[in-house]
Amino acid sequence: MLIDSHAHLEMQEFKRDLEAVIQRAKESGVGYTFTVGTEKKDWERALEIANSHPSIYAILGVHPHNAKEIDDQTYPMLKEFCRNGKVKAYGEIGLDFFRNLSPRDIQLKRFREQIGLAKELGLPIVVHDREAHQETLEILKSEKAEECRGIIHCFSGDYDMAKVCIDMGFYISIPGSITFKNAESFREIVKKIPLEFLLVETDAPFLTPVPFRGKRNEPSYVRYTAQKLAEIKNIPFEKVAKVTTENALRVYRLE
Ligand SMILES: [Zn+2]
Ligand SMILES: [Zn+2]
């Protein structure tokens, strides 16, 4: 069995054929998928999908892209939604200094606040960090994120960063981009990170792995990422499946 630790099934891209997508995931051995509602309009839908499918769980929070939309009603509403037993983590939260869709100072402030909220809710956090490694680490440390722990999703840092995160109790989640031809240096980093701290994810509909690169991503494709991981580490696919599944069950507290 495999677990897709991070996807966005509530997004528009899956509106037409969601049931078929979920069915294909099951048929390819993906036991659970965690769908991440990143903004107000998606929370209810993510929860609805999770509530109507035993193989789907939800993660809710405000993405750094949407940090500027947070108002007085946002956190009370999120708290209410997160009381649902199918919500297994808080996120994705963090910093995106690549696209900068929200001003940086607002991203920093909302990231800090949401770590506090996750702790209050007793949920692990899912962290999004794009071109903001140093600032992400600083906030994780200053906000004592080791108290809630969680996942660095779509990890793109170096080995030293992975090590600091692991020491704080975080898992490192690997997306389909590990299969890309130009990802040689990323593969070198991942090779050094022990399997005991790794998860696999699709981030569907984005980051589609080879051989489907360019098409829409979906949870069933997480196996290409796991296969690449097995190849890089020179271990059997079954071992990658087993250990990354155990890791995901542990961090999302489904054991
Ligand atoms: Zn992300
Ligand atoms: Zn995502």
Side-chain angles (χ1 to χ4, degrees), residues 37-62:
T38 58
E39 58 177 313
K40 193 175 168 185
K41 71 169 179 54
D42 288 343
W43 298 332
E44 206 164 356
R45 176 72 183 139
L47 207 46
E48 186 182 283
I49 296 169
N51 280 329
S52 52
H53 297 87
S55 63
I56 315 288
Y57 287 96
I59 295 168
L60 307 178
V62 182

Side-chain angles (χ1 to χ4, degrees), residues 112-207:
R112 285 201 188 89
E113 284 174 1
Q114 291 191 89
I115 294 174
L117 184 54
K119 285 192 207 172
E120 202 182 313
L121 290 162
L123 293 171
I125 56 174
V126 174
V127 176
H128 171 106
D129 154 35
R130 194 153 180 215
E131 312 257 307
H133 304 326
Q134 205 47 52
E135 294 85 349
T136 297
L137 283 178
E138 274 165 25
I139 289 184
L140 290 177
K141 283 180 195 163
S142 64
E143 296 304 314
K144 298 191 168 48
E146 69 274 12
E147 290 172 5
C148 54
R149 320 218 283 186
I151 296 162
I152 313 295
H153 111 90
C154 275
F155 182 74
S156 60
D158 60 13
Y159 176 72
D160 289 339
M161 179 176 182
K163 205 172 170 312
V164 173
C165 295
I166 288 167
D167 287 343
M168 292 180 81
F170 279 77
Y171 287 85
I172 307 295
S173 186
I174 307 301
S177 49
I178 190 112
T179 64
F180 296 176
K181 204 171 179 177
N182 61 1
E184 201 45 59
S185 59
F186 181 39
R187 283 190 283 273
E188 285 305 314
I189 292 164
V190 173
K191 190 175 178 174
K192 287 166 70 182
I193 305 173
L195 187 61
E196 283 60 38
F197 303 108
L198 293 178
L199 306 179
V200 284
E201 68 171 283
T202 57
D203 203 17
F206 313 112
L207 288 178

